[in-house]
């Protein structure tokens, strides 16, 4: 090997050594909370092993691999302890929110929400309903962080949820009539809830969006808000407006697998719910009919 080649090898060794040192420093910091950081520790160990593979055979590489093997065994113990403590820490993070944790790992139900924990990858997925609507995936498997996330969803729904059931029902009727007109349907016929949602979003836009329909002026109305508002409407007992009575059609089994064909709506604060496919309005029956 000539001088130029030797210099290149040494520079590469220095570069890898610096990267290993940087990760070792990061790993040392994680040891302040070895159990809570178990999955992050495992990730860093994998990176260090990858870098170590580029070191030449010798005492340094051997000692590094021995250290890695020792730490891996400790990380596996920490993972087991982490899983054991996961539920307790999640409950602690939800304290004061009114949200109760039900079920068994890897799937936990929390009010209207569900969390599926992946203890192999150290990640979690958060759902609306019992694994119905995926809200966020790849979330770090950190119980207090997950508790904060679920609480933020819950608080957002409660803050933005409907306050006047009659006004919401009137908007549903307006959206329903618009959709019937667009599809050439007679009033009283059924309209897909997903199609009605599209009309409802348009009706919910402020004047600024109508004047200048750009992203900055657009007001979102996601499916879970629609689902939650329907839940509040059902709970209110308000069923009729302007002489028209709301009807929701329960989805058949095949439709429940398609977001475009069904919408899950809670029945209770505990997260029980029903799939609906269609909405319609029919004239209120007069007394005695």
């Amino acid at each position: 090997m000539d001088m130029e080649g030797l210099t290149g090898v040494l520079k590469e060794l220095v570069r890898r050594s610096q990267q290993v040192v940087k990760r070792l420093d990061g790993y040392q910091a994680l040891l302040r909370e070895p159990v809570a950081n178990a999955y992050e520790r495992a990730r860093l160990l994998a990176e260090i092993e990858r870098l170590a593979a580029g070191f030449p055979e010798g005492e340094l590489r051997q000692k590094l691999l021995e250290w890695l093997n020792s730490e891996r065994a400790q990380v596996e113990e920490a993972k087991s302890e982490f899983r054991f403590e996961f539920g307790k820490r999640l409950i602690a993070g939800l304290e004061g929110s009114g949200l109760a944790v039900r079920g068994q790992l890897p799937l936990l139900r929390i009010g209207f929400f569900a969390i599926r924990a992946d203890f192999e990858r150290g990640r979690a997925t958060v759902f609306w309903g019992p694994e119905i609507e995926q809200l966020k995936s790849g979330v770090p498997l950190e119980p207090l962080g997950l508790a904060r996330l679920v609480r933020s969803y819950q608080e957002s729904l409660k803050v933005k949820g409907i306050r006047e059931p009659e006004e919401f029902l009137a908007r549903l009727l307006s959206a329903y009539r618009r959709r019937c007109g667009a599809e050439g349907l007679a009033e009283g016929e059924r309209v897909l809830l997903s199609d009605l949602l599209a009309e409802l979003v348009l009706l919910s836009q402020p004047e600024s969006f109508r004047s200048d329909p750009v992203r900055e002026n657009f007001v979102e109305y996601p499916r879970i808000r629609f689902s939650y508002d329907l839940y509040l409407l059902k709970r209110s007992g308000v069923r009729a407006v302007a002489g028209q009575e709301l009807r929701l059609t329960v989805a058949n089994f095949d439709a429940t697998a398609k977001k475009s064909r069904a919408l899950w709506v809670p029945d209770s604060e505990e997260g029980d719910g029903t799939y609906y496919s269609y909405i319609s309005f029919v004239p209120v029956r007069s007394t005695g009919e």
Side-chain angles (χ1 to χ4, degrees):
M1 181 182 297
D2 59 19
M3 183 179 296
E4 185 177 345
L6 181 60
T7 300
V9 170
L10 289 173
K11 284 183 177 179
E12 175 62 18
L13 184 58
V14 169
R15 186 184 70 83
R16 282 182 177 273
S17 297
Q18 289 173 337
Q19 290 180 329
V20 169
V21 169
K22 181 179 179 181
R23 283 156 179 79
L24 286 173
D25 287 342
Y27 189 85
Q28 183 66 34
L30 294 176
L31 292 177
R32 294 169 189 159
E33 294 188 65
V35 175
N37 294 325
Y39 288 91
E40 186 63 17
R41 287 170 64 193
R43 186 188 67 78
L44 274 183
L45 289 179
E47 288 189 10
I48 293 170
E49 181 179 32
R50 176 180 57 80
L51 291 168
F55 280 45
E57 293 286 350
E59 184 179 0
L60 175 62
R61 179 176 173 180
Q62 184 60 34
K63 287 188 177 297
L64 190 53
L65 292 177
E66 288 174 0
W67 177 83
L68 283 167
N69 288 332
S70 173
E71 285 299 316
R72 273 204 197 87
Q74 294 182 43
V75 165
E76 289 306 312
E77 291 179 9
K79 283 182 179 180
S80 297
E81 188 176 346
F82 176 87
R83 181 170 179 143
F84 180 75
E85 295 289 332
F86 183 86
K88 292 181 182 179
R89 298 187 68 198
L90 183 63
I91 291 171
L94 294 169
E95 188 175 354
S97 68
L99 292 166
V101 179
R102 296 178 294 135
Q104 292 184 329
L105 289 168
L107 180 65
L108 298 175
R109 299 281 302 279
I110 306 172
F112 301 122
F113 306 92
I115 290 177
R116 177 165 288 280
D118 184 343
F119 287 97
E120 291 299 317
R121 298 191 308 117
R123 291 290 183 266
T125 303
V126 181
F127 296 91
W128 168 248
E131 292 193 282
I132 303 297
E133 193 103 3
Q134 182 173 299
L135 298 178
K136 196 167 186 179
S137 63
V139 184
L141 197 58
E142 201 284 299
L144 296 182
L146 284 166
R148 285 193 296 271
L149 180 60
V150 171
R151 291 181 74 140
S152 70
Y153 282 131
Q154 175 83 353
E155 289 163 8
S156 176
L157 287 173
K158 288 188 176 296
V159 168
K160 297 178 181 179
I162 61 170
R163 296 287 183 271
E164 301 294 335
E166 294 84 358
E167 187 275 333
F168 179 62
L169 189 57
R171 281 197 288 131
L172 287 179
L173 178 58
S174 296
Y176 170 75
R177 284 174 167 166
R178 283 169 58 97
R179 197 67 199 180
C180 284
E183 295 185 13
L185 301 174
E187 289 193 20
E189 293 191 57
R190 301 183 308 175
V191 169
L192 275 170
L193 277 167
S194 55
D195 291 339
L196 183 99
L197 175 58
E199 294 292 345
L200 200 58
V201 169
L202 290 175
L203 286 174
S204 302
Q205 295 311 308
E207 185 59 38
S208 58
F209 181 79
R210 300 178 193 280
S211 301
D212 188 13
V214 295
R215 185 190 310 175
E216 290 76 11
N217 294 333
F218 181 76
V219 176
E220 291 185 342
Y221 187 60
R223 281 170 59 89
I224 70 164
R225 281 267 311 281
F226 185 34
S227 170
Y228 182 69
D229 285 346
L230 286 174
Y231 160 70
L232 294 178
L233 180 64
K234 288 197 305 176
R235 193 177 68 173
S236 74
V238 176
R239 294 289 181 273
V241 64
Q244 298 292 313
E245 183 178 348
L246 171 70
R247 298 279 176 85
L248 293 173
T249 303
V250 176
N252 61 37
F253 180 77
D254 290 339
T256 60
K258 301 176 182 177
K259 289 176 65 173
S260 62
R261 306 293 298 180
L263 179 73
W264 183 82
V265 179
D267 291 328
S268 69
E269 295 283 337
E270 288 70 40
D272 302 313
T274 303
Y275 279 102
Y276 295 101
S277 280
Y278 295 94
I279 185 173
S280 59
F281 282 86
V282 298
V284 177
R285 293 183 179 181
S286 60
T287 305
E289 284 192 60

